[in-house]
Amino acid sequence: MEERSSQQVLNPERLKALEMWLQETDVKLTQVNGQRKYGGPPDDWLGAPPGPGCEVFISQIPRDVFEDQLIPLFRAVGPLWEFRLMMNFSGQNRGFAYAKYDSPASAAAAIRSLHGRALESGARLGVRRSTEKRQLCLGELPTSTRREQLLQVLLDFSEGVEGVSLRAGPGEQGMSAVVVYASHHAASMAKKVLIEAFKKRFGLAITLRWQSSSRPKHEEPPRPSKTPPSSPPKPPRCSLLDSPRPPLRLAQRQLPAFSQAVRAPSPMVHAAPESPRGATMVPPVDAAALLQGVCEVYGQGKPLYDLQYRHMGPDGFLCFSYRVYVPGLATPFSGMVQTLPGPTPGAIQEEARRATAQQVLSALYRA
């Protein structure tokens, strides 16, 4: 642990240089879901958003190089609509970024001018055209999935959804869906959260991969999941129209089923999305408050949480182990949860607590 902490120590001189640059230039950076964003568009932007072919992917960025060095370098090539630097929870960058220009010509100029460009540290940047994939394939959905209901769920879980098409999976693999997003950025953000969102909200273990923009082949089976062979078999999938059965321990109190929850934002989404086409949005249910209320109603006492941070996964999720003690029950609940980085340690802890409560509630319903 000491070795890992020493590797994540930030360079105070570089941080000070970044702060001074932000003050001098009045550039505004926004931290969103594991990345720091400039523009999208910037305040002085005139005209429509850029179309396809305007984004470049930047790699081999030293971990202590920040926007004060990168944005002026890439803005010198052409008008910069957006710059996104991927960040670790520690405050270091993750070694890559995306820059979106006003036109494909500016993006091509950036590749010609800046690929292999040496920085002060001697490191050379890699710059190439971004793939800008905008379609995701969701697999192993329940066979009774309806397009309208799935669309509402995706609008609650992610932003920028433009359309959904369903197709039958091979054999007994259930349904699959191709989801089209407004941008590669929106699709990337959705790819980070959808698997956990479906698992936490509905208990569904879906698969998720990038979908080729070409016409999908119905005979092509979905990629197998990365579940080890020794893993226990998956529970049977529930119908979108089925309500979860009432728990034996906690009588008839029920959680929302898939079809009943399509208008409620996911508990793991930090900001509630706008209501699609004027629909009335139901406020999200706090799983921790629900668990406490249910336990108190049935005389079990207030749940006690023991959360321990373990590590950050390669996808940017923070992993926590937990033990939850309910005074009226003999055996504590234990397991692992994942959350996205938040603005403060307190917010991250609270998000992990809500995710833990959701798993405990699910365990009670399976009892």
Side-chain angles (χ1 to χ4, degrees), residues 138-158:
L138 280 64
E140 301 194 30
L141 294 167
T143 55
S144 58
T145 300
R146 296 180 180 177
R147 179 186 173 279
E148 294 77 11
Q149 291 177 327
L150 179 59
L151 177 60
Q152 288 286 354
V153 169
L154 292 168
L155 287 169
D156 290 337
F157 285 157
S158 57

Side-chain angles (χ1 to χ4, degrees), residues 238-246 254-261 365:
C238 64
S239 165
L240 295 187
L241 299 178
D242 291 340
S243 298
R245 60 186 177 87
Q254 293 189 0
L255 292 176
F258 196 174
S259 60
Q260 296 170 322
Y365 274 89

Side-chain angles (χ1 to χ4, degrees), residues 229-240:
S230 59
S231 299
K234 296 178 181 177
R237 299 180 190 89
C238 64
S239 165
L240 295 187

